Every structure is written in structure tokens, then in C-alpha cells.
Amino acid sequence: MPHVPVLTISSLTKPQVEEILALAQDLKRDRAKYSQCMAQKTLLMFFEKPSLRTRVSFEVGMTQMGGHAIYYDVSTSPLGKKESASDTAKVFSRYCEVAIGRLNDRKLVRELAANATIPFVNALDDFAHPTQMLADLLTILENKGSLSEVKMAYLGDLENNVTYDLMRSAALMGFQLQVSGPNTPEAEVMEEVARLCQVSGATVRLEPNPQAAVRGVDVVYTDSWMSYGVPAATMEARIQMFTPYRVTPELMALAKPDAIFMNCLPAARGMEQTASVVDGPQSVVFDEAENRLHAHKALLVWLLDAQPTDGRRAAL
């Protein structure tokens, strides 16, 4: 595979995303087939933000495929302080085969990726969350059979990494997305999404009315109102701002009867959704969380062109 730094979901082309999803489906069916794909390979993981799903899924994934993962805690060994981020990237590229970063600042992620000579993946920053998107797309594919005819609604905070990459995902893969919230995505994101939509034929638009946004959709998605890094002192103000966009049973009833509910987790019951929604029969949030493992394994295999060598490669 080419050296591809994955900074947003749109760092990949539509065919590349489809290849990774096909790999994810195959390795989910046959874990043993991929058990030595990462033998003698090391993943370096930079973490500045707290993590459950990202850290555990990447670490478990490397172990299941015969490789090794190193957790690098940025709080105890700061990046770009004693040594420049560019020098750090050049050094770890001599040691490891692939690296990820779950960091606060998009500038730092970009600097590491620009100077690494190995694949570098943004595992979440303030601008994108491409690894979550692969798991989300896999979950939608499993439940709806394809992506091309999907209609999705996102409700809540429109100024966060998940929203931005959901918009890019729809625009890249060619499905419909309506986002509804009290704030507005960054202009840079809106411009990129418009360009992607021109190519794919997708429709991504802002819908101020949450009821209109969810009417007749296949997928309803929400995310935390208090993302990592949001000051706790702003909680009351944010609750007031976002409460009209809470996903309730009444809102879900406006979607298609077989619509699924998604949240990338963690979920705060009584905040971005009610408990009856996130714990209800339409919720696929734990399937979505599990798919982080399969999607991350597939991404690593794809980036390192490390499919099984016994002739049993996934049909892409």
C-alpha cells in the first residue's frame, strides 16, 4: 500500500475505505486467518486524551494478530517540548512499523504525520476521528446491507471531531446526512464536504429542526455534549443549549421503523439521549464499540499490506 497518513476519513478514497471495510468483515469472520499478520511488527500509540475503546481495541488488535503495541503517555513524556515533534517522528519511524496519535491539537498530529516515514493514523484530535468512522461505516453496512442508499441524521454538537468526520464520511461514500444542532461546523469542514459531495453525489446539509432531521432516516446518531476537553464549568450552559436535540423515543419514532441508533460512546443517559433509547432495541452502540476492534485491525493490515500469505486473502 502507499504511505498514507490517515488524518481524517477523507484522507482515504472511497475505494480504499471499501477495501478496509471488506477486510474488517473478513477478519471478523475468521480471526485465526489473521493471527500472524502483525508478527514482528510494533504499533506505537501516543495518548494525550483519555481513552477506553481506542487504546484497548488497538492494543488487543495487535496482540490478536501476533504483533506488539506500545502505549506512550504524553502526560509523562510531553511531545514537542524537549525535542521537536518532527525529530520525534523521525526517531520512532526507525523503531516501529506504524503509529497512532490520540492528541488534543490537530497541528501536532499533522506535524507527526508529515515527518513520519511510516504510516501514521489520527486516533482522534480536535478536527477528526477517522478510526471511529471506519467502525461506524462497518456497523451501518452490517445493519443496512450497503451505504449508498443510507439516510442518516446526527443530532447535537456540530463543532466536534465526530460531527466533522461523519459529514466527510457521508460526502465521501455517497449517502445522505442531515446534521441538526445549535452551533455550526467550521467553514473549512463545510467547504471540504461540499467538494466531496460534488464528486460523490451525496447530500450533506444543516437542518435546524431536529424533528425534520430524523424524519424517515435509517440511522440516528448522537455524541457527547461534554466531549473531552470541554470545561466542566460550561456544563449547565451546554445542557440548556443542546437539550432540544436530545434523542428521545419520540424523535426515534419519526425515523424509519427499522432505524438504528448510534453513539460512539461514552454515553450519558439523560443527556444526549434518554436511557430508553441507548438501552432500547434499536440501539447498536455496543456493536458499534466492538467494531472498533475489527475496523482498527483491518486498517493496520491494509496500511502495512499485511494480509495472510497463504493464499486466503480477503476478497476486496
Side-chain angles (χ1 to χ4, degrees), residues 148-211:
S148 60
E149 301 299 320
V150 164
K151 296 181 181 179
M152 174 190 282
Y154 171 88
L155 274 64
D157 187 359
L158 303 190
E159 292 183 277
N160 77 5
N161 44 28
V162 168
T163 314
Y164 296 168
D165 249 9
L166 278 174
M167 294 172 69
R168 295 185 188 103
S169 294
L172 178 68
M173 303 307 291
F175 60 88
Q176 295 185 39
L177 172 64
Q178 300 189 119
V179 296
S180 187
N183 45 8
T184 305
E186 294 178 36
E188 179 182 347
V189 176
M190 297 295 293
E191 291 164 6
E192 180 189 5
V193 166
R195 291 193 300 270
L196 291 168
C197 284
Q198 286 182 338
V199 174
S200 69
T203 301
V204 178
R205 70 184 189 91
L206 305 183
E207 171 52 68
N209 185 302
Q211 288 79 20

Side-chain angles (χ1 to χ4, degrees), residues 101-120:
R102 184 179 171 91
L103 305 168
N104 292 324
D105 187 356
R106 69 189 74 171
K107 293 180 182 177
L108 182 55
V109 169
R110 291 171 181 175
E111 187 174 1
L112 289 170
N115 288 279
T117 56
I118 60 173
F120 187 89

Side-chain angles (χ1 to χ4, degrees), residues 4 12 38 54 80 112 117 130 224 228 243 257-258 286:
V4 180
L12 302 166
M38 292 292 143
T54 302
L112 289 170
T117 56
S224 173
Y228 294 126
T243 292
D258 63 347
F286 296 110

Side-chain angles (χ1 to χ4, degrees), residues 11 40 49 56 83 93 95 105 108 116 154 176 205 229 238 264 280 302:
S11 298
Q40 300 300 309
K49 287 175 175 280
V56 174
E83 179 177 63
S93 295
Y95 300 151
D105 187 356
L108 182 55
Y154 171 88
Q176 295 185 39
R205 70 184 189 91
R238 290 177 70 83
C264 56
W302 184 85

